[in-house]
Amino acid sequence: MAKMKPWTYSHLDSFETCPKRYYHTRVAYDVKEPESEHIKWGNSVHKAFEENVSLNKPFPEEMSAFSNIGRQLRELPGVKHCEMKMAIDRAFKPVEWFSKTAWSRGIADLLVETPKKVLLIDYKTGKRKVSEQLTLYALYAFATYPTVNEVESGFIWLKEKKIDKETYQRKDVPELWKPFLTRASKLERAFQEDQWPARPSGLCRGWCPCTECPHWERKK
Ligand code: SF4
């Protein structure tokens, strides 16, 4: 039986999309997920934002359209932490990233810390969609900064030049955890029972790397 590592938002997402695919690409590692052009671009954009916000390094030519966003982020008041790693244990207490008791963890693209409030920013290079990722990161932030009572979050959709903002209050933390606990318990059960059923979807039509799966088809 495979040992479960600390889960992340992306683990939940990937497991729910197709447990079989999740197992092969993120548990057994017997299928490699190829790095698409979109993923490569996303990684370069994240790196460029990190260097721009933390070191004031100009964006490369092909990303010059992001300079204004970078400037606005640099001018925000507060202590800026780029690629901020946050991990918690089962009691929702903050722990080191590689701690043996780490239960869940995530890396915020940018966290801005002020005495009363934390701001979380996530750069998105894909299509705008609804995501609970920053709700989970807000929960990590409440655990990491025990004196902070408010967390603001913002997805920056770079293609569409839109920001989706949300504000979270500490009093709502137990309620906010509920859906993640349900989702995480399903993932934990899959590890305990070693059950990874296939969940066919449009991904099977050539987009999934699990070519040995009976549901897999060539791209048309
Ligand atoms: S081909 Fe489809 S059903 Fe099979 S592992 Fe991939 S996504 Fe899941």
Side-chain angles (χ1 to χ4, degrees), residues 136-156:
L136 181 61
Y137 286 18
L139 291 165
Y140 297 148
F142 280 123
T144 309
Y145 297 92
T147 58
V148 161
N149 287 321
E150 188 173 290
V151 175
E152 237 179 54
S153 72
F155 284 110
I156 302 184

Side-chain angles (χ1 to χ4, degrees), residues 18 20-21 198-201 203-204 208 210 213 215-216:
C18 176
K20 182 173 171 64
R21 176 180 183 229
R199 186 166 298 153
S201 68
L203 276 178
C204 310
C208 173
C210 302
C213 173
H215 299 283
W216 191 85

